Amino acid sequence: MAMLAPTFRRALLEARSTLPPTYLLPFRANITTISHTLETDNVPDPLIQSGHHISKDLKQKVQSHPIQPKVAPRPVPSIPKASANARKDEVSTEFTANMKSMLPLLHSQPPHYLTVHIHGRPYLLTAGDTLRLPFLMPNVKPGDVLRLNRVTHIGSRDYTLKAPEPVKGTRDAPKKVFYLDERLFVCRAMVVGVEQEPLRIMEKTKRRQRHVKHVKSQHQYTVLKISEIGVKSLEEYEGTLEGLIR
Amino acid sequence: MPFFRITLLRSGIGLPAKTAGVLKALGLRKRMTTVYHPVTPDVAGQIMRIKELVDVKEVETSLTKDEMRAARRPDPGYYIETRKPRDLDGKTMGALKSRW
């Protein structure tokens, strides 16, 4: 039927120029809320089919031999497949009454700290901290600004907002790790540069062998500077929920 | 098409060569290796040979090694908001100001 779309359009154009008289149009087209002049997509079916010229033999043939649809191959689901030892990171977006009452208190006590998770590993950070990551972050250069968005704890002097505890995974169910809503906070870090560890040389040898192999290692580590940590106030957070502020 | 998800729970060290051969044929190299094989009588027979060493589950879809690793990978936890402009050599333009 999709293949007949161009023929529909052609038939439509032909039908528009030669409309049947009003008394021949179907009764159901008398009262309608659809404006046929403004909304040109809404064309009644008899009008579309009036341009169709299908022979009676062909109609009979189609009706008597309905085509059996071939068994389509099972579509591969786009959702991630369950695996043994899988992991699921959930950013919880629920806003409980307790959170609503305590968020203004948390917001009123700067400075704040965050427990940020980078590649699943937690770092307790506050504004102005220098963070040396235990790995070299690819595709970043000094001066780039990162936005850290996976956080489990937001705290101030007297208050802490915690995400739910992780749920242990089983053979079939994935491990669930919970994070706080991204819209509650802002955390920006600037890439300061790359550090190197001191050169270390490992000697590899076997007993009663005079040859000693020297293996050099000097790993690199990315250094970040936390430039900004902010907790949203209740008005700002509710504004983002409504989509006013991004 | 259903698959067997086979996980090696006990090592095959010290076992006879035929049993080690079955492990090799299934692709089970180390403990906790997980492999997917289609449900056929051949594979069922192989599993029967090493049934004391493995944990088996029947699942609908199979995963490759990369897909299994991706399923375990956590979120990166960051995204690059702004990049400092770089020239054609890839060097950042302008001096990096000390004010962070």
Side-chain angles (χ1 to χ4, degrees):
Chain A
M1 284 297 275
M3 289 193 327
L4 299 168
T7 54
F8 276 141
R9 288 212 192 92
R10 243 180 281 128
L12 187 62
L13 290 168
E14 286 166 29
R16 269 193 185 154
S17 54
T18 58
L19 261 177
T22 321
Y23 59 87
L24 286 177
L25 286 172
F27 283 174
R28 66 172 181 230
N30 278 344
I31 300 168
T32 174
T33 53
I34 300 164
S35 164
H36 289 285
T37 50
L38 297 174
E39 291 171 70
T40 49
D41 295 324
N42 299 312
V43 184
D45 287 337
L47 212 56
I48 295 169
Q49 287 160 13
S50 64
H52 259 192
H53 300 289
I54 303 169
S55 64
K56 277 186 189 169
D57 297 334
L58 184 59
K59 274 187 192 167
Q60 268 184 349
K61 189 181 175 186
V62 165
Q63 274 162 13
S64 59
H65 297 289
I67 300 163
Q68 293 294 331
K70 286 181 192 170
V71 177
R74 178 173 259 153
V76 177
S78 59
I79 52 165
K81 303 166 194 169
S83 160
N85 311 318
R87 182 199 173 108
K88 200 172 158 197
D89 289 328
E90 285 191 9
V91 180
S92 53
T93 49
E94 59 165 337
F95 193 46
T96 59
N98 183 34
M99 281 166 72
K100 193 167 178 174
S101 60
M102 304 283 269
L103 183 60
L105 297 167
L106 179 65
H107 175 72
S108 68
Q109 285 193 330
H112 300 104
Y113 70 87
L114 303 174
T115 301
V116 161
H117 285 240
I118 299 178
H119 294 301
R121 301 217 150 88
Y123 302 94
L124 199 154
L125 303 169
T126 185
D129 282 352
T130 306
L131 173 63
R132 189 212 74 145
L133 295 167
F135 59 92
L136 180 69
M137 194 180 271
N139 306 323
V140 289
K141 291 274 159 103
D144 294 346
V145 175
L146 307 178
R147 183 80 173 259
L148 307 176
N149 54 7
R150 292 286 179 265
V151 148
T152 47
H153 295 69
I154 301 174
S156 70
R157 189 173 187 276
D158 296 319
Y159 302 100
T160 310
L161 176 61
K162 290 183 354 179
E165 289 290 312
V167 172
K168 189 180 169 187
T170 60
R171 183 183 66 163
D172 304 308
K175 170 183 177 179
K176 276 196 209 166
V177 179
F178 299 99
Y179 297 107
L180 296 175
D181 194 352
E182 290 176 44
R183 299 166 292 192
L184 278 170
F185 65 93
V186 170
C187 182
R188 287 197 174 91
M190 179 140 139
V191 178
V192 165
V194 167
E195 265 183 13
Q196 266 188 350
E197 58 165 344
L199 178 71
R200 58 191 158 94
I201 303 173
M202 177 189 264
E203 290 182 351
K204 295 186 76 177
T205 189
K206 302 280 186 226
R207 285 158 40 153
R208 297 175 296 278
Q209 304 298 334
R210 293 176 194 185
H211 178 254
V212 176
K213 183 176 180 182
H214 293 88
V215 180
K216 290 193 297 185
S217 301
Q218 191 165 33
H219 290 185
Q220 293 186 313
Y221 305 102
T222 306
V223 180
L224 307 178
K225 186 96 176 177
I226 310 302
S227 56
E228 182 191 341
I229 282 187
V231 177
K232 296 273 168 71
S233 67
L234 190 60
E235 294 80 29
E236 286 170 342
Y237 181 61
E238 284 174 338
T240 57
L241 288 181
E242 288 158 27
L244 297 170
I245 316 162
R246 284 289 159 90
Chain B
M1 185 186 190
F3 290 87
F4 285 127
R5 189 181 73 199
I6 310 163
T7 310
L8 186 63
L9 292 182
R10 302 206 61 182
S11 169
I13 298 169
L15 291 184
K18 276 194 190 175
T19 316
V22 175
L23 290 175
K24 185 175 178 182
L26 287 171
L28 295 165
R29 280 176 195 276
K30 290 187 177 186
R31 258 196 75 221
M32 310 315 276
T33 316
T34 309
V35 288
Y36 289 78
H37 286 291
V39 174
T40 52
D42 304 349
V43 175
Q46 284 174 315
I47 292 171
M48 286 306 289
R49 286 274 187 155
I50 52 163
K51 61 186 180 317
E52 292 85 6
L53 310 175
V54 291
D55 170 81
V56 180
K57 186 170 158 86
E58 193 172 326
V59 294
E60 279 308 311
T61 52
S62 76
L63 297 179
T64 62
K65 192 175 161 190
D66 291 329
E67 283 170 354
M68 284 196 271
R69 287 191 68 198
R72 267 179 245 134
R73 195 172 297 131
D75 285 348
Y78 65 90
Y79 60 89
I80 300 167
E81 211 177 34
T82 54
R83 288 182 185 275
K84 201 151 164 52
R86 298 171 203 179
D87 59 13
L88 288 169
D89 296 328
K91 292 179 188 171
T92 49
M93 285 157 53
L96 176 67
K97 291 181 187 170
S98 61
R99 182 180 168 226
W100 42 266

